[in-house]
Amino acid sequence: MENTIQIYNTLTRKKEVFEPIHAPNVGMYVCGPTVYSDVHLGNCRTFISFDLIFRYLKYVGYKVRYVRNITDAGHLEGDRDEGDDKFAKRAKLEQLEPMEIVQKYTLGFHDVLRIFNTLPPSIEPTATGHIIEQIEMIKEIMANGYAYEANGTIYFDVDKYSKTYNYTILTNRNLEDMLANTRELGGQDEKRGRLDFALWIKAKPETLMKWVSPWGVGFPGWHIECSAMSAKYLGKEFDIHGGGMDLAATHHTNEIAQSEACSHVQPARIWMHTNMLTVNGTRMSKSAGNGFLPHELFSGDHPLLTKGFSPMTVKFFMLQAHYRSTLDFSNDALDASEKGFKRLMNAVALIDKLVASDASDFEIEPLRLRCVQAMNDDFNSPVVIAELFEASRIINSVYDGKAKISVEELAKLKQLMQDFVFEVFGLMNEDSNNGELNSVLNLVIDIRKTAKENKDYATSDRIRVGLQEMGIQLKDSKEGTNWSKI
Ligand code: AMP
Ligand code: ZN
């Protein structure tokens, strides 16, 4: 493999050289959405970040099996086996079957990710489709002595597990402090230890989604689905496990515990966590009520928005931050991203119009290398964007006749933009969908040419100024007239 990629591993708290277990194959598991409501923009940030990682690993030649689950059962409102079932509650509210809720929001999730031009994962397994695998795993954990039954519910025994393994390996917390800070749950004293969590939960008479198990009728806990499905599709040990940072302390900590208690191995070599999208410094979340829905952002129909922003502007805004940095939402930041994205796309549109010379004022290889190095350094997309702006400056200066580029360097420049803008970042030229606009403008440009030939300067100026007012700039050169968005 030509590229050495360094990835920050939450588990070891440092960047490590990425060495897949079965190179060139890579197994990557990412915790997907809980499909009981619309995904908000924060969720999208996490999935766009992992799309970037998936795309880059493929770009450098790895054969990636990317598994991203759909949580469609077993997610209670509280993190600690308490509260209502999210799906049942929503089903009641919308007067639908729980599986209608699942279907509705899974389709909505797919639509949103398609708008952001993310690639579909290789496998998208659902919790409800893997009840048998989860029951089998719970049986093994019990057989190994790390879980116990209490009134039809199965709990993971954190105390017993901690005697052999490190329960706080992912977060580096102190177990004693965690115990001291964990509140006792009223009515849940069937748990032996405060940190114990449910693997299987006994159904109540009103429970809608339930299955038969060796311990009676019930449903799986939230954490076991990811352990069971990652092992099924990627093996007991695989390369990368990812999700949002908020998942590390409970969900991923419990996943590690379950996998070790079942098969005695830590499941993922590298644990990757994306940072949160915030609004005025507060994490965007469904429960905080500050979660923009993507369509609200596109239309501008939200009290916190001054106007709408296109999907690619929003995606570009996200790529302008490193995936491990927080990203705060603001109208000003999105405005700046909108300008930056337009600048980049205008430059990309001009490449095909550049005329090569015998000599070249630029060498593209160092620029390409800097892009590769940035991506190899824990997927540093903001640094790549700075380099792409440098490439845009080169394009503009050649187009304006201020500098020269040779045929070979021009070919390299085209390849660079194709690779990073479209293949690795998955951006799209939103205007190129608009073939009609292009045809109309070509017609208008032709009418202006005729007007000029007829010395009808009033009409030709009216066309130029009128277009300028609409944000479209005409540029005349020896080869003819081109247009670009201002
Ligand atoms: P959920 O549907 O709540 O289970 O979340 C799906 C994914 O989105 C998880 O990986 C979360 O960690 C992630 N996520 C939730 N809120 C945010 C946020 N504000 N910023 C980035 N990622 C988030
Ligand atoms: Zn998960």
Side-chain angles (χ1 to χ4, degrees), residues 94-108:
E94 296 195 24
Q95 297 191 333
L96 293 172
E97 271 292 309
M99 280 315 266
E100 282 183 290
I101 293 291
V102 165
Q103 179 74 0
K104 176 177 169 184
Y105 292 109
T106 302
L107 292 179

Side-chain angles (χ1 to χ4, degrees), residues 29-32 69 71 222-223 225-226 241-242 247 251-252 255:
Y29 187 94
V30 171
C31 292
N69 69 302
T71 296
W222 171 33
H223 316 297
E225 65 171 277
C226 289
H241 193 314
L247 299 185
H251 183 55
H252 291 164
E255 267 191 58

Side-chain angles (χ1 to χ4, degrees), residues 29 31-36 69-82 85-87 127 134 138 154 197-201 219-229 243-244 246-255 258 283:
Y29 187 94
C31 292
T34 308
V35 286
Y36 74 101
N69 69 302
I70 294 277
T71 296
D72 60 351
H75 204 157
L76 300 182
E77 290 204 306
D79 249 359
R80 305 190 48 230
D81 317 322
E82 55 187 321
D85 176 281
K86 290 184 178 183
F87 298 96
Q134 295 177 74
I138 297 169
I154 310 294
F197 57 92
L199 299 174
W200 185 264
I201 300 164
F219 57 96
W222 171 33
H223 316 297
I224 195 76
E225 65 171 277
C226 289
S227 294
M229 295 192 288
D246 56 318
L247 299 185
T250 307
H251 183 55
H252 291 164
T253 291
N254 291 347
E255 267 191 58
Q258 291 165 159
R283 183 191 142 195

